[in-house]
Amino acid sequence: MAANPEQTNERYQVADLTIDAGTWQVVRGDDTLSVPRLSFDVLLALIRAAPNTLSVDELMDEVWGNVVVNPETVTKRVELMREALGDDSRDPRYIGLVRGRGYRIIPPVGKPNQRRRSRLTVLVAAVAVAAVAAVALWMSIPPPSPAPPQNSVAVLPFVSMTNDPDDELFADGLTEEISHALASRPGLKVTGRTSSFYYKGRNEDLRDIGETLGVANLLEGSVRRSGDRLRVTAQLVEADDGFHLWSQVYDSSMDDVLDIQRDISLRVDAALRQEIIGDSPPPPVIEVSADPHAYALYLRALGNSYSMVRAADSQAILEQVVEIDPSFAPAWTRLAAVQVRRIMRLDTTYPYTREEGWRRIAEANDRALALDPQNAEAHANLARISWLHEGDAAKAAPLIEKAMQLDPGNLDIIRFAAWFAKLIGRTDEAITLEEHLVDREPVCADCRYMLGKSYLYAGRLEEAEASFRFSRTMGTGGGEWDIGVTLLLQGKPELALEQFENFNSYESLSVQGRAMAMYDLGRHEEYDLAMQELIARWGAEYPSFGAEALAYTGQSDAAFEWLEKSVAQREVDLQTYYREPVYDKLRDDPRWDRIMRKIGRTQEQLEVIDFAVAHYLTT
């Protein structure tokens, strides 16, 4: 293992870089470069060996000692070091690759020029430091964020070591299954999938990742498939310094992938608790297909299922899985969930009518429950069917609660529970659930968006706008409609119009938003044209879109006419977005209660629903 830099006064000069082994600093001119700790150790090992070349094996021995790592780890650390130094691997200035041998420092290594500092210089510097500290205190600079708990971990996307897209999806699915297994273990804080996968393909500093995600530890790894052979590497490191807590290389056949998942989960859990394996609680039971080929396909489908762009591919793969192994309950559950997502996201490529789609969803979910009555996600799916298709919120509530009881760490279920709470008027409950989501999913645009909706429904407009805008900063697109609505409600139609005109995700909502903004601006001819376009193009399929704009502009009779059409065709949008403030001008009209009664959303109907699930949340 490399010497602890804190125990040495070594300082080196490499071209324009000054390397201080005692403080782990690399300085160029007046700038201190941010070099990850392990990358710094690799750099220091190469400097000490200069002008000689160190092989990959020698670097592993020098930097990692007895900790088992693989050559890919060394390569990644060198890449991170080059990135931090601003070095180009195609035209390197500092770090050279010697093909077939290893790495070396290119420039001569020397000692930096050091000028002796007088006691007066030191005294002046000390006074300056004290003055800066006093000013900082006077300005009440907020203290640094508290250190994350030691039992916290993020599972970063495992890297596929081949160029096959199917292998990449397999690696994504394996990552998700390991993450879910860890999240099922009591007492661990595990970052959600969305935030972890934000770092896929990014060479970020581990300290920055840990700080952003609020975790003390990171699990990373790689997957290589070759025919029926599988090689999985995994390593658990501390985020603040890259120290290895555990690592392992698994060489096996594809038939052993479940054993690998279980072993990684068990050993990571034991390392975080600082326990020996024999004392660690047993790993959770992971249901797996009896057919290894079906399970490999299932992992590929998991890698696809969260992307609307690839949802159709995920559905097609899952249909193959259940055909190969009809007894594999998780595949039926995921098949139902993917189709729910496609219907709710208005996927125009979904090949079935809504009625036929919901029938297929129910059929797939019934198969899952028959195979596994304790399947939490299947209970959540059943709640979605009860609420979104049948319009029965009272029936859905205990099903969501059952899902939360069975799997309180499942963030997808928590997200659904928060959405449900919000739309049955339990805004405080929704906010509690969503704050938990944001804690587990700090880099999740949808989670921030959901919290913004809760603020909007609570009338906290400035907080709602801030949440929507924060979501937008994550670069995921969308949200313009909601920002536009909050601006309209704050009396800022000009700014709202800018948002609606830039809303490219759904043209229908852009036209609807423009109509509402034009009305507030007194541009009535343009309002009329926008309303005509909205009704002509989308009125037949989505009558609630027209109803919302008409309601906002006070056209009550016309709004109720379109609401009746929405009820007649059991439109999902009315059932889920009836709390939007654009409907506020209708709520005191007796016709509103009649409409709400038809879809089970009157205040009287909702108040009798017993729904409180936040107490199931785990740390």
Side-chain angles (χ1 to χ4, degrees):
M1 184 72 71
N4 187 341
E6 292 179 324
Q7 299 172 350
T8 178
N9 293 321
E10 297 170 82
R11 298 182 78 224
Y12 301 95
Q13 192 73 40
V14 179
D16 58 347
L17 301 177
T18 301
I19 295 92
D20 190 330
T23 60
W24 296 306
Q25 287 188 333
V26 179
V27 178
R28 181 191 291 124
D30 295 329
D31 297 327
T32 300
L33 308 183
S34 177
V35 180
R37 172 68 181 277
L38 275 174
S39 298
F40 183 92
D41 290 345
V42 172
L43 175 62
L44 193 58
L46 291 173
I47 288 172
R48 288 169 174 163
N52 298 321
T53 298
L54 286 184
S55 69
V56 171
D57 288 340
E58 288 171 330
L59 277 170
M60 286 192 289
D61 290 340
E62 181 71 19
V63 176
W64 285 272
N66 296 324
V67 177
V68 178
V69 296
N70 56 75
E72 290 88 352
T73 300
V74 177
T75 301
K76 181 176 180 179
R77 287 298 153 196
V78 172
E79 289 175 357
L80 288 171
M81 177 172 55
R82 280 175 165 160
E83 182 179 350
L85 301 180
D87 204 15
D88 187 342
S89 60
R90 294 167 296 184
D91 185 20
R93 297 172 56 200
Y94 307 114
I95 312 299
L97 171 65
V98 182
R99 295 289 180 185
R101 294 190 59 193
Y103 298 93
R104 70 179 182 88
I105 296 291
I106 296 174
V109 175
K111 296 292 183 180
N113 293 327
Q114 297 182 359
R115 292 178 294 182
R116 295 177 58 86
R117 298 193 299 170
S118 67
R119 291 187 179 182
L120 178 59
T121 303
V122 174
L123 179 60
V124 170
V127 172
V129 169
V132 170
V135 171
L137 181 61
W138 177 73
M139 294 178 64
S140 300
I141 294 176
S145 300
Q150 185 55 42
N151 64 340
S152 57
V153 63
V155 183
L156 300 181
F158 278 38
V159 178
S160 171
M161 303 306 292
T162 73
N163 293 323
D164 189 337
D166 288 345
D167 287 348
E168 181 181 354
L169 293 173
F170 176 87
D172 289 350
L174 181 62
T175 303
E176 183 174 341
E177 288 290 88
I178 292 171
S179 180
H180 184 258
L182 285 170
S184 300
R185 300 179 76 79
L188 294 188
K189 176 186 177 183
V190 183
T191 298
R193 179 193 190 279
T194 302
S195 296
S196 292
F197 271 76
Y198 174 81
Y199 292 97
K200 182 176 179 179
R202 297 170 181 253
N203 287 325
E204 302 273 350
D205 188 296
L206 295 181
R207 288 169 295 188
D208 292 339
I209 296 175
E211 183 178 352
T212 300
L213 299 183
V215 295
N217 308 283
L218 301 169
L219 178 66
E220 54 185 355
S222 63
V223 177
R224 184 187 296 276
R225 290 207 308 168
S226 179
D228 188 47
R229 300 301 301 170
L230 177 68
R231 188 183 202 206
V232 177
T233 67
Q235 53 190 12
L236 180 68
V237 299
E238 292 182 348
D240 62 348
D241 60 7
F243 179 77
H244 276 63
L245 298 172
W246 167 81
S247 63
Q248 184 70 44
V249 178
Y250 301 87
D251 282 301
S252 64
S253 72
M254 286 294 297
D255 294 355
D256 298 326
V257 65
L258 179 62
D259 291 335
I260 293 173
Q261 288 175 220
R262 286 174 172 157
D263 193 66
I264 291 173
S265 169
L266 176 66
R267 293 180 185 277
V268 169
D269 179 64
L272 294 181
R273 299 176 193 273
Q274 299 181 342
E275 298 173 344
I276 59 175
I277 292 296
D279 293 336
S280 184
V285 175
I286 304 173
E287 187 176 352
V288 64
S289 170
D291 187 295
H293 176 58
Y295 191 62
L297 286 173
Y298 174 72
L299 292 180
R300 277 177 51 199
L302 290 186
N304 267 327
S305 62
Y306 287 92
S307 167
M308 280 310 301
V309 176
R310 300 195 298 262
D313 292 337
S314 180
Q315 181 178 336
I317 295 171
L318 289 165
E319 287 169 348
Q320 292 181 53
V321 173
V322 296
E323 184 176 350
I324 295 171
D325 185 0
S327 65
F328 185 33
W332 288 109
T333 303
R334 186 68 61 150
L335 179 58
V338 167
Q339 293 184 86
V340 170
R341 189 172 290 114
R342 295 184 73 184
I343 288 177
M344 293 304 297
R345 295 289 181 90
L346 308 179
D347 185 352
T348 57
T349 67
Y350 188 60
Y352 308 111
T353 64
R354 289 190 178 191
E355 199 66 33
E356 174 64 12
W358 282 112
R359 188 192 67 78
R360 288 173 173 270
I361 291 165
E363 182 180 89
N365 204 63
D366 286 347
R367 295 289 296 270
L369 282 170
L371 292 165
D372 180 11
Q374 300 303 305
N375 187 315
E377 293 185 9
H379 281 85
N381 282 338
L382 195 57
R384 292 183 178 98
I385 296 167
S386 301
W387 182 36
L388 302 176
H389 177 52
E390 299 172 3
D392 193 339
K395 180 180 177 182
L399 294 168
I400 298 173
E401 183 171 2
K402 179 67 173 179
M404 286 282 291
Q405 285 179 314
L406 291 171
D407 193 356
N410 189 311
L411 298 186
D412 283 340
I413 294 174
I414 294 171
R415 186 178 309 200
F416 177 46
W419 190 37
F420 180 81
K422 187 193 338 277
L423 297 185
I424 63 170
R426 311 296 201 275
T427 307
D428 290 343
E429 181 89 357
I431 290 174
T432 299
L433 294 167
E434 286 155 1
E435 286 175 345
H436 179 84
L437 277 175
V438 168
D439 179 58
R440 290 297 181 91
E441 288 275 30
V443 190
C444 170
D446 282 348
C447 302
R448 301 281 181 174
Y449 175 84
M450 289 177 62
L451 188 55
K453 278 289 191 184
S454 291
Y455 288 142
L456 179 63
Y457 293 168
R460 295 156 63 174
L461 300 180
E462 292 182 358
E463 292 168 281
E465 182 187 348
S467 293
F468 293 140
R469 290 191 184 278
F470 192 97
S471 175
R472 290 275 296 142
T473 64
M474 297 178 185
T476 55
E480 296 92 342
W481 187 87
D482 296 276
I483 295 173
V485 168
T486 61
L487 291 169
L488 284 178
L489 297 173
Q490 294 176 73
K492 304 173 183 178
E494 285 282 5
L495 295 176
L497 182 60
E498 291 179 13
Q499 295 293 326
F500 294 133
E501 288 180 335
N502 291 325
F503 188 29
N504 299 318
S505 301
Y506 294 104
E507 187 183 1
S508 56
L509 295 181
S510 176
V511 174
Q512 181 206 61
R514 289 207 322 268
M516 294 188 294
M518 295 298 183
Y519 183 88
D520 279 359
L521 289 167
R523 294 155 62 173
H524 297 301
E525 289 186 6
E526 292 169 278
Y527 161 73
D528 289 338
L529 289 174
M531 284 302 304
Q532 290 170 17
E533 181 182 2
L534 182 66
I535 296 298
R537 295 180 62 184
W538 297 284
E541 189 171 3
Y542 302 109
S544 67
F545 291 1
E548 288 178 352
L550 291 165
Y552 177 78
T553 58
Q555 317 297 310
S556 300
D557 292 342
F560 279 114
E561 179 183 341
W562 286 99
L563 284 174
E564 289 288 358
K565 293 178 181 179
S566 178
V567 171
Q569 64 186 54
R570 302 172 72 180
E571 188 185 2
V572 171
D573 295 89
L574 175 60
Q575 298 174 37
T576 55
Y577 295 115
Y578 70 95
R579 286 199 66 197
E580 290 292 338
V582 293
Y583 284 124
D584 283 352
K585 293 178 183 178
L586 302 185
R587 299 190 195 278
D588 292 333
D589 192 306
R591 290 174 291 182
W592 178 256
D593 269 359
R594 290 199 291 270
I595 292 287
M596 291 298 101
R597 187 165 299 280
K598 291 179 180 179
I599 63 172
R601 301 293 193 270
T602 66
Q603 185 174 354
E604 177 187 358
Q605 289 170 316
L606 296 177
E607 283 179 348
V608 299
I609 297 174
D610 183 14
F611 187 73
V613 297
H615 60 280
Y616 292 115
L617 294 174
T618 58
T619 57

